Amino acid sequence: MVSEEAHLLIHGASGRMGQALVRLCGEQPGLRLVAAMAGRQAPKIESVPGFSAVQMDELPAFDVAIDFSLPEGFDAILDRCLAQGTAFVSGTTGLDARQRARLDEAAARIPVLWAANFSLGVAVLEDLVRRAAAALPAWQRDIVESHHVHKKDAPSGTALALGRAVEEGGGPAPHYASLRAGDIVGEHLVQFTGLGERIELAHRATSRDIFARGALRCAAALARKAAGRYRVIDLLDEGGADRC
Ligand code: NAD
């Protein structure tokens, strides 16, 4: 049983997202950071002076892990959560079909939340896109995503999630376009085009902190859940969506 403060492990802690998580985790009630892990090549965590990353064989007990790493690091941390019976939150994108299937298998034993995007705005955008697709079955659909030059996967996980929302609404499948430029945090445009008119639904993230805060709130809630697969919108709502 999880005590008042769930013990948190951050995996991928030296990365862009990991640094934001380590910096912001003190703001999230119900969570206490007990360990931060990074790849063997990157043990420094610049946002918290004096806090060094630990390796897998040095981990203390924890109640919930947040993983924002790369597909190469995903299996080992999921294995560790399964071995310890702890909750697993992951925002790592570019997972292959085997890794995505593992999330469902794991959910039979531990609470699991994987999301391509932890912002409340994108959760609402998915719903708007599903409704627009259902209302405009004959219109062309295009999804344009823009990210910083270091992003490895394309189309982004969020673009693919928005594409699934389009397909759930019905009508033709969407086309994707990906731009990589400068330090863009993340922008997604879903465009529905008819004859002589067009609808554009867009989300622009200007700070990684929205993803980090969303993941931390979800982790605090997930640590207290039974085994199963959960969605961001359910857990953010529990914490009071107006705080996002
Ligand atoms: P990054 O490259 O800055 O950091 C990656 C981190 O993973 C580093 O700490 C690195 O040391 C670690 N790592 C890499 N390989 C590893 C391995 N084999 N084992 C253990 N650790 C390993 O990346 P980033 O910009 O922080 O993004 C991380 C992931 O999160 C990406 O998949 C990105 O697409 C995704 N992302 C998701 C959201 C969301 O809301 N879901 C938002 C932003 C980014």
Side-chain angles (χ1 to χ4, degrees):
M1 194 62 194
V2 176
S3 60
E4 205 158 288
E5 283 192 321
H7 289 189
L8 170 68
L9 162 72
I10 294 173
H11 185 247
S14 65
R16 282 170 285 266
M17 278 303 304
Q19 302 251 354
L21 286 160
V22 172
R23 178 169 45 81
L24 294 169
C25 65
E27 293 178 5
Q28 176 58 51
L31 281 184
R32 183 153 69 85
L33 181 64
V34 294
M37 278 187 74
R40 286 197 180 271
Q41 307 308 314
K44 260 183 85 189
I45 300 173
E46 285 159 9
S47 62
V48 182
F51 201 103
S52 298
V54 295
Q55 299 299 331
M56 195 65 89
D57 50 9
E58 305 164 323
L59 284 185
F62 59 94
D63 302 306
V64 57
I66 301 181
D67 163 57
F68 277 80
S69 59
L70 294 178
E72 303 88 281
F74 168 89
D75 289 295
I77 188 63
L78 177 55
D79 287 342
R80 186 60 179 241
C81 289
L82 283 164
Q84 287 200 198
T86 57
F88 181 64
V89 173
S90 176
T92 300
T93 61
L95 301 180
D96 61 24
R98 178 192 61 79
Q99 290 174 313
R100 290 196 302 273
R102 287 203 69 200
L103 289 165
D104 282 329
E105 289 158 22
R109 291 167 49 195
I110 57 173
V112 172
L113 165 61
W114 176 87
N117 198 299
F118 279 86
S119 88
L120 181 63
V122 165
V124 171
L125 178 63
E126 275 183 38
D127 185 46
L128 295 174
V129 163
R130 198 175 291 112
R131 284 158 52 192
L136 304 165
W139 288 26
Q140 182 176 326
R141 300 89 186 283
D142 296 283
I143 299 178
V144 184
E145 57 99 348
S146 309
H147 282 88
H148 54 88
V149 292
H150 304 290
K151 183 163 178 65
K152 295 210 165 120
D153 52 319
S156 68
T158 302
L160 295 171
L162 290 166
R164 279 193 293 280
V166 166
E167 290 184 23
E168 284 160 18
H175 300 111
Y176 297 92
S178 298
L179 301 177
R180 296 289 173 263
D183 60 354
I184 299 171
V185 172
E187 300 188 358
H188 293 85
L189 166 71
V190 184
Q191 181 170 285
F192 293 86
T193 309
L195 280 180
E197 55 182 330
R198 189 163 79 221
I199 290 179
E200 296 179 352
L201 297 171
H203 179 270
R204 293 187 180 85
T206 53
S207 163
R208 281 184 184 87
D209 290 4
I210 57 164
F211 308 129
R213 288 200 171 96
L216 289 162
R217 284 175 59 186
C218 288
L222 196 74
R224 290 161 177 80
K225 296 286 183 196
R229 206 58 207 263
Y230 294 85
R231 298 182 312 164
V232 169
I233 191 104
D234 304 328
L235 297 178
L236 284 185
D237 274 355
E238 274 187 24
D242 55 333
R243 285 193 297 147
C244 242

